[in-house]
Amino acid sequence: MDFRYSCECGPRNRVTLHCSKELPGFPETWHRRGRNRQEELFSRETHIALYAEVMARMNAHCFHVELAGCRESMERFLRSLVVIEGLESVLRSRRYSIDLQLSAFHDPAEVAQRVAELCCRCFYPELQPLAVGDSLADSDCSASSVSAE
C-alpha cells in the first residue's frame, strides 16, 4: 500500500496537503500572540522541544514508529519540518490533512511534496509516497486541486 497525497492551493500562499494515511495532530499553541500569529499552530519561532512534548501526548499511541520514544519521534519530525524550504508555518491540522502557509517565491507543489515525503518517512517508513491527481505543470496555483509530482 502507498502513502498517497495531493495538495490544494488556496489564497495568500496557503496550501492544504491531503494524505491517505493519518497525520499527526498539531496542538493549539500557548504562545500565539498578536494579529500575525493567531492562525499559526507551528513555525520556526515555536519552542520545538516543548511543542514536541505536548504533541507527543496528543498523538500518543497513534503511530507504531513512535512506541520506542514518542517525544523523540515528534521532535525529530518537527526539526525536519521547520527546515523545509518554502514552508513558513502550519496553520491547521486535521486527521488526514494539514494547512500550510508557504513563501510566495516557492513552488507550492514542491513544498507540499517535501512535507508529504517527510510525513511518510517519519510515520510510515514502510510505505512509498505517491502523488495523485493532475500535474501542476499544466495549471497554476489558483486551480482548485493540484498534485505534487
Side-chain angles (χ1 to χ4, degrees), residues 35-59:
R35 290 183 192 168
N36 296 352
R37 300 280 174 233
Q38 290 191 347
E39 293 184 357
E40 183 178 281
L41 293 180
F42 179 77
S43 73
R44 285 186 178 194
E45 297 174 10
T46 305
H47 189 288
I48 293 176
L50 290 176
Y51 196 84
E53 189 173 322
V54 174
M55 193 171 176
R57 282 194 302 266
M58 179 180 168
N59 291 284

PDB file of all heavy atoms in Angstrom, residues 35-59:
ATOM      1  N   ARG A  35      -1.741  39.806  16.075  1.00  0.00           N
ATOM      2  CA  ARG A  35      -2.545  39.503  14.892  1.00  0.00           C
ATOM      3  C   ARG A  35      -1.891  38.500  13.959  1.00  0.00           C
ATOM      4  O   ARG A  35      -2.541  37.673  13.370  1.00  0.00           O
ATOM      5  CB  ARG A  35      -2.811  40.786  14.113  1.00  0.00           C
ATOM      6  CG  ARG A  35      -3.735  41.709  14.819  1.00  0.00           C
ATOM      7  CD  ARG A  35      -4.007  42.901  13.967  1.00  0.00           C
ATOM      8  NE  ARG A  35      -4.678  43.899  14.775  1.00  0.00           N
ATOM      9  CZ  ARG A  35      -4.854  45.127  14.418  1.00  0.00           C
ATOM     10  NH1 ARG A  35      -4.408  45.539  13.255  1.00  0.00           N
ATOM     11  NH2 ARG A  35      -5.473  45.972  15.200  1.00  0.00           N
ATOM     12  N   ASN A  36      -0.586  38.583  13.786  1.00  0.00           N
ATOM     13  CA  ASN A  36       0.102  37.724  12.816  1.00  0.00           C
ATOM     14  C   ASN A  36       0.141  36.268  13.239  1.00  0.00           C
ATOM     15  O   ASN A  36       0.268  35.391  12.402  1.00  0.00           O
ATOM     16  CB  ASN A  36       1.528  38.216  12.597  1.00  0.00           C
ATOM     17  CG  ASN A  36       1.558  39.589  11.981  1.00  0.00           C
ATOM     18  OD1 ASN A  36       0.528  40.118  11.581  1.00  0.00           O
ATOM     19  ND2 ASN A  36       2.726  40.180  11.921  1.00  0.00           N
ATOM     20  N   ARG A  37       0.058  35.975  14.492  1.00  0.00           N
ATOM     21  CA  ARG A  37       0.237  34.611  14.975  1.00  0.00           C
ATOM     22  C   ARG A  37      -1.070  33.885  15.263  1.00  0.00           C
ATOM     23  O   ARG A  37      -1.061  32.739  15.638  1.00  0.00           O
ATOM     24  CB  ARG A  37       1.085  34.622  16.255  1.00  0.00           C
ATOM     25  CG  ARG A  37       2.443  35.201  16.046  1.00  0.00           C
ATOM     26  CD  ARG A  37       3.342  34.165  15.419  1.00  0.00           C
ATOM     27  NE  ARG A  37       4.601  34.775  15.081  1.00  0.00           N
ATOM     28  CZ  ARG A  37       5.146  34.722  13.896  1.00  0.00           C
ATOM     29  NH1 ARG A  37       4.573  34.081  12.919  1.00  0.00           N
ATOM     30  NH2 ARG A  37       6.301  35.288  13.670  1.00  0.00           N
ATOM     31  N   GLN A  38      -2.197  34.521  15.135  1.00  0.00           N
ATOM     32  CA  GLN A  38      -3.444  33.914  15.579  1.00  0.00           C
ATOM     33  C   GLN A  38      -3.823  32.652  14.828  1.00  0.00           C
ATOM     34  O   GLN A  38      -4.464  31.796  15.396  1.00  0.00           O
ATOM     35  CB  GLN A  38      -4.571  34.932  15.536  1.00  0.00           C
ATOM     36  CG  GLN A  38      -4.378  35.981  16.608  1.00  0.00           C
ATOM     37  CD  GLN A  38      -5.579  36.849  16.778  1.00  0.00           C
ATOM     38  OE1 GLN A  38      -6.479  36.842  15.958  1.00  0.00           O
ATOM     39  NE2 GLN A  38      -5.603  37.606  17.852  1.00  0.00           N
ATOM     40  N   GLU A  39      -3.450  32.533  13.582  1.00  0.00           N
ATOM     41  CA  GLU A  39      -3.807  31.330  12.822  1.00  0.00           C
ATOM     42  C   GLU A  39      -2.719  30.267  12.858  1.00  0.00           C
ATOM     43  O   GLU A  39      -2.945  29.151  12.462  1.00  0.00           O
ATOM     44  CB  GLU A  39      -4.074  31.703  11.363  1.00  0.00           C
ATOM     45  CG  GLU A  39      -5.303  32.545  11.182  1.00  0.00           C
ATOM     46  CD  GLU A  39      -5.583  32.820   9.721  1.00  0.00           C
ATOM     47  OE1 GLU A  39      -4.783  32.393   8.863  1.00  0.00           O
ATOM     48  OE2 GLU A  39      -6.589  33.452   9.432  1.00  0.00           O
ATOM     49  N   GLU A  40      -1.571  30.592  13.307  1.00  0.00           N
ATOM     50  CA  GLU A  40      -0.413  29.706  13.220  1.00  0.00           C
ATOM     51  C   GLU A  40      -0.381  28.691  14.357  1.00  0.00           C
ATOM     52  O   GLU A  40      -0.526  29.039  15.518  1.00  0.00           O
ATOM     53  CB  GLU A  40       0.829  30.588  13.283  1.00  0.00           C
ATOM     54  CG  GLU A  40       2.117  29.882  13.130  1.00  0.00           C
ATOM     55  CD  GLU A  40       3.252  30.881  13.156  1.00  0.00           C
ATOM     56  OE1 GLU A  40       3.483  31.525  12.121  1.00  0.00           O
ATOM     57  OE2 GLU A  40       3.883  31.023  14.218  1.00  0.00           O
ATOM     58  N   LEU A  41      -0.171  27.413  14.014  1.00  0.00           N
ATOM     59  CA  LEU A  41       0.000  26.374  15.023  1.00  0.00           C
ATOM     60  C   LEU A  41       1.471  26.104  15.300  1.00  0.00           C
ATOM     61  O   LEU A  41       1.859  25.852  16.430  1.00  0.00           O
ATOM     62  CB  LEU A  41      -0.654  25.068  14.568  1.00  0.00           C
ATOM     63  CG  LEU A  41      -2.165  25.055  14.440  1.00  0.00           C
ATOM     64  CD1 LEU A  41      -2.634  23.691  13.973  1.00  0.00           C
ATOM     65  CD2 LEU A  41      -2.820  25.425  15.756  1.00  0.00           C
ATOM     66  N   PHE A  42       2.283  26.116  14.237  1.00  0.00           N
ATOM     67  CA  PHE A  42       3.686  25.746  14.383  1.00  0.00           C
ATOM     68  C   PHE A  42       4.523  26.465  13.333  1.00  0.00           C
ATOM     69  O   PHE A  42       4.123  26.558  12.176  1.00  0.00           O
ATOM     70  CB  PHE A  42       3.850  24.226  14.211  1.00  0.00           C
ATOM     71  CG  PHE A  42       5.264  23.765  14.325  1.00  0.00           C
ATOM     72  CD1 PHE A  42       5.872  23.655  15.568  1.00  0.00           C
ATOM     73  CD2 PHE A  42       5.995  23.465  13.203  1.00  0.00           C
ATOM     74  CE1 PHE A  42       7.198  23.247  15.669  1.00  0.00           C
ATOM     75  CE2 PHE A  42       7.305  23.053  13.287  1.00  0.00           C
ATOM     76  CZ  PHE A  42       7.911  22.940  14.533  1.00  0.00           C
ATOM     77  N   SER A  43       5.691  26.962  13.753  1.00  0.00           N
ATOM     78  CA  SER A  43       6.636  27.598  12.832  1.00  0.00           C
ATOM     79  C   SER A  43       8.033  27.516  13.438  1.00  0.00           C
ATOM     80  O   SER A  43       8.221  26.946  14.515  1.00  0.00           O
ATOM     81  CB  SER A  43       6.257  29.059  12.579  1.00  0.00           C
ATOM     82  OG  SER A  43       6.539  29.846  13.720  1.00  0.00           O
ATOM     83  N   ARG A  44       8.987  28.141  12.776  1.00  0.00           N
ATOM     84  CA  ARG A  44      10.361  28.171  13.296  1.00  0.00           C
ATOM     85  C   ARG A  44      10.468  28.877  14.636  1.00  0.00           C
ATOM     86  O   ARG A  44      11.396  28.665  15.383  1.00  0.00           O
ATOM     87  CB  ARG A  44      11.290  28.874  12.308  1.00  0.00           C
ATOM     88  CG  ARG A  44      11.631  28.046  11.131  1.00  0.00           C
ATOM     89  CD  ARG A  44      12.665  28.743  10.289  1.00  0.00           C
ATOM     90  NE  ARG A  44      12.993  27.883   9.174  1.00  0.00           N
ATOM     91  CZ  ARG A  44      14.039  28.058   8.407  1.00  0.00           C
ATOM     92  NH1 ARG A  44      14.829  29.073   8.607  1.00  0.00           N
ATOM     93  NH2 ARG A  44      14.278  27.226   7.416  1.00  0.00           N
ATOM     94  N   GLU A  45       9.522  29.742  14.921  1.00  0.00           N
ATOM     95  CA  GLU A  45       9.559  30.502  16.173  1.00  0.00           C
ATOM     96  C   GLU A  45       9.036  29.708  17.363  1.00  0.00           C
ATOM     97  O   GLU A  45       9.126  30.157  18.495  1.00  0.00           O
ATOM     98  CB  GLU A  45       8.769  31.793  16.008  1.00  0.00           C
ATOM     99  CG  GLU A  45       9.386  32.696  14.966  1.00  0.00           C
ATOM    100  CD  GLU A  45       8.552  33.931  14.677  1.00  0.00           C
ATOM    101  OE1 GLU A  45       7.584  34.195  15.416  1.00  0.00           O
ATOM    102  OE2 GLU A  45       8.884  34.619  13.711  1.00  0.00           O
ATOM    103  N   THR A  46       8.484  28.533  17.119  1.00  0.00           N
ATOM    104  CA  THR A  46       7.945  27.685  18.182  1.00  0.00           C
ATOM    105  C   THR A  46       9.097  27.008  18.913  1.00  0.00           C
ATOM    106  O   THR A  46      10.071  26.583  18.300  1.00  0.00           O
ATOM    107  CB  THR A  46       7.028  26.599  17.565  1.00  0.00           C
ATOM    108  OG1 THR A  46       6.035  27.242  16.779  1.00  0.00           O
ATOM    109  CG2 THR A  46       6.373  25.756  18.633  1.00  0.00           C
ATOM    110  N   HIS A  47       8.981  26.886  20.225  1.00  0.00           N
ATOM    111  CA  HIS A  47       9.975  26.154  21.023  1.00  0.00           C
ATOM    112  C   HIS A  47       9.768  24.667  20.740  1.00  0.00           C
ATOM    113  O   HIS A  47       8.815  24.051  21.245  1.00  0.00           O
ATOM    114  CB  HIS A  47       9.799  26.457  22.506  1.00  0.00           C
ATOM    115  CG  HIS A  47      10.896  25.918  23.344  1.00  0.00           C
ATOM    116  ND1 HIS A  47      11.051  24.574  23.603  1.00  0.00           N
ATOM    117  CD2 HIS A  47      11.911  26.547  23.968  1.00  0.00           C
ATOM    118  CE1 HIS A  47      12.110  24.385  24.362  1.00  0.00           C
ATOM    119  NE2 HIS A  47      12.650  25.580  24.611  1.00  0.00           N
ATOM    120  N   ILE A  48      10.622  24.093  19.914  1.00  0.00           N
ATOM    121  CA  ILE A  48      10.402  22.747  19.376  1.00  0.00           C
ATOM    122  C   ILE A  48      10.345  21.662  20.450  1.00  0.00           C
ATOM    123  O   ILE A  48       9.463  20.808  20.428  1.00  0.00           O
ATOM    124  CB  ILE A  48      11.447  22.410  18.294  1.00  0.00           C
ATOM    125  CG1 ILE A  48      11.212  23.329  17.093  1.00  0.00           C
ATOM    126  CG2 ILE A  48      11.364  20.945  17.880  1.00  0.00           C
ATOM    127  CD1 ILE A  48      12.228  23.182  15.990  1.00  0.00           C
ATOM    128  N   ALA A  49      11.250  21.679  21.406  1.00  0.00           N
ATOM    129  CA  ALA A  49      11.274  20.621  22.420  1.00  0.00           C
ATOM    130  C   ALA A  49       9.990  20.609  23.254  1.00  0.00           C
ATOM    131  O   ALA A  49       9.415  19.547  23.500  1.00  0.00           O
ATOM    132  CB  ALA A  49      12.495  20.774  23.317  1.00  0.00           C
ATOM    133  N   LEU A  50       9.526  21.774  23.672  1.00  0.00           N
ATOM    134  CA  LEU A  50       8.284  21.842  24.452  1.00  0.00           C
ATOM    135  C   LEU A  50       7.075  21.461  23.611  1.00  0.00           C
ATOM    136  O   LEU A  50       6.186  20.741  24.059  1.00  0.00           O
ATOM    137  CB  LEU A  50       8.091  23.250  25.028  1.00  0.00           C
ATOM    138  CG  LEU A  50       9.052  23.668  26.128  1.00  0.00           C
ATOM    139  CD1 LEU A  50       8.807  25.110  26.514  1.00  0.00           C
ATOM    140  CD2 LEU A  50       8.908  22.747  27.331  1.00  0.00           C
ATOM    141  N   TYR A  51       7.055  21.935  22.381  1.00  0.00           N
ATOM    142  CA  TYR A  51       5.940  21.628  21.486  1.00  0.00           C
ATOM    143  C   TYR A  51       5.894  20.126  21.197  1.00  0.00           C
ATOM    144  O   TYR A  51       4.823  19.526  21.161  1.00  0.00           O
ATOM    145  CB  TYR A  51       6.073  22.436  20.198  1.00  0.00           C
ATOM    146  CG  TYR A  51       4.816  22.489  19.383  1.00  0.00           C
ATOM    147  CD1 TYR A  51       3.823  23.423  19.654  1.00  0.00           C
ATOM    148  CD2 TYR A  51       4.603  21.613  18.324  1.00  0.00           C
ATOM    149  CE1 TYR A  51       2.654  23.485  18.899  1.00  0.00           C
ATOM    150  CE2 TYR A  51       3.445  21.668  17.567  1.00  0.00           C
ATOM    151  CZ  TYR A  51       2.475  22.611  17.862  1.00  0.00           C
ATOM    152  OH  TYR A  51       1.329  22.663  17.120  1.00  0.00           O
ATOM    153  N   ALA A  52       7.059  19.515  20.996  1.00  0.00           N
ATOM    154  CA  ALA A  52       7.130  18.073  20.729  1.00  0.00           C
ATOM    155  C   ALA A  52       6.588  17.275  21.908  1.00  0.00           C
ATOM    156  O   ALA A  52       5.923  16.247  21.710  1.00  0.00           O
ATOM    157  CB  ALA A  52       8.564  17.660  20.430  1.00  0.00           C
ATOM    158  N   GLU A  53       6.831  17.746  23.104  1.00  0.00           N
ATOM    159  CA  GLU A  53       6.328  17.055  24.288  1.00  0.00           C
ATOM    160  C   GLU A  53       4.795  17.074  24.323  1.00  0.00           C
ATOM    161  O   GLU A  53       4.150  16.055  24.565  1.00  0.00           O
ATOM    162  CB  GLU A  53       6.893  17.719  25.543  1.00  0.00           C
ATOM    163  CG  GLU A  53       6.624  16.959  26.808  1.00  0.00           C
ATOM    164  CD  GLU A  53       7.351  17.566  27.987  1.00  0.00           C
ATOM    165  OE1 GLU A  53       8.494  18.026  27.826  1.00  0.00           O
ATOM    166  OE2 GLU A  53       6.745  17.581  29.075  1.00  0.00           O
ATOM    167  N   VAL A  54       4.209  18.239  24.050  1.00  0.00           N
ATOM    168  CA  VAL A  54       2.747  18.351  24.015  1.00  0.00           C
ATOM    169  C   VAL A  54       2.188  17.541  22.849  1.00  0.00           C
ATOM    170  O   VAL A  54       1.194  16.831  22.981  1.00  0.00           O
ATOM    171  CB  VAL A  54       2.320  19.836  23.911  1.00  0.00           C
ATOM    172  CG1 VAL A  54       0.815  19.960  23.730  1.00  0.00           C
ATOM    173  CG2 VAL A  54       2.788  20.609  25.134  1.00  0.00           C
ATOM    174  N   MET A  55       2.849  17.622  21.709  1.00  0.00           N
ATOM    175  CA  MET A  55       2.411  16.899  20.519  1.00  0.00           C
ATOM    176  C   MET A  55       2.477  15.385  20.749  1.00  0.00           C
ATOM    177  O   MET A  55       1.610  14.641  20.299  1.00  0.00           O
ATOM    178  CB  MET A  55       3.275  17.311  19.330  1.00  0.00           C
ATOM    179  CG  MET A  55       2.747  16.895  18.002  1.00  0.00           C
ATOM    180  SD  MET A  55       3.730  17.698  16.707  1.00  0.00           S
ATOM    181  CE  MET A  55       3.011  16.957  15.276  1.00  0.00           C
ATOM    182  N   ALA A  56       3.496  14.938  21.468  1.00  0.00           N
ATOM    183  CA  ALA A  56       3.636  13.511  21.761  1.00  0.00           C
ATOM    184  C   ALA A  56       2.485  13.025  22.633  1.00  0.00           C
ATOM    185  O   ALA A  56       1.930  11.942  22.392  1.00  0.00           O
ATOM    186  CB  ALA A  56       4.973  13.253  22.445  1.00  0.00           C
ATOM    187  N   ARG A  57       2.107  13.806  23.637  1.00  0.00           N
ATOM    188  CA  ARG A  57       0.977  13.415  24.490  1.00  0.00           C
ATOM    189  C   ARG A  57      -0.321  13.364  23.679  1.00  0.00           C
ATOM    190  O   ARG A  57      -1.136  12.470  23.827  1.00  0.00           O
ATOM    191  CB  ARG A  57       0.831  14.383  25.667  1.00  0.00           C
ATOM    192  CG  ARG A  57       1.833  14.128  26.766  1.00  0.00           C
ATOM    193  CD  ARG A  57       1.455  14.850  28.036  1.00  0.00           C
ATOM    194  NE  ARG A  57       1.327  16.288  27.867  1.00  0.00           N
ATOM    195  CZ  ARG A  57       2.296  17.176  28.101  1.00  0.00           C
ATOM    196  NH1 ARG A  57       3.462  16.757  28.534  1.00  0.00           N
ATOM    197  NH2 ARG A  57       2.083  18.462  27.943  1.00  0.00           N
ATOM    198  N   MET A  58      -0.487  14.349  22.800  1.00  0.00           N
ATOM    199  CA  MET A  58      -1.696  14.430  21.988  1.00  0.00           C
ATOM    200  C   MET A  58      -1.808  13.259  21.003  1.00  0.00           C
ATOM    201  O   MET A  58      -2.897  12.767  20.733  1.00  0.00           O
ATOM    202  CB  MET A  58      -1.682  15.748  21.212  1.00  0.00           C
ATOM    203  CG  MET A  58      -2.855  15.959  20.321  1.00  0.00           C
ATOM    204  SD  MET A  58      -2.645  17.555  19.498  1.00  0.00           S
ATOM    205  CE  MET A  58      -3.916  17.436  18.277  1.00  0.00           C
ATOM    206  N   ASN A  59      -0.679  12.815  20.464  1.00  0.00           N
ATOM    207  CA  ASN A  59      -0.654  11.761  19.441  1.00  0.00           C
ATOM    208  C   ASN A  59      -0.207  10.411  19.988  1.00  0.00           C
ATOM    209  O   ASN A  59       0.108   9.508  19.206  1.00  0.00           O
ATOM    210  CB  ASN A  59       0.286  12.177  18.306  1.00  0.00           C
ATOM    211  CG  ASN A  59      -0.253  13.334  17.508  1.00  0.00           C
ATOM    212  OD1 ASN A  59      -1.156  13.171  16.703  1.00  0.00           O
ATOM    213  ND2 ASN A  59       0.290  14.527  17.750  1.00  0.00           N
TER     214      ASN A  59
END
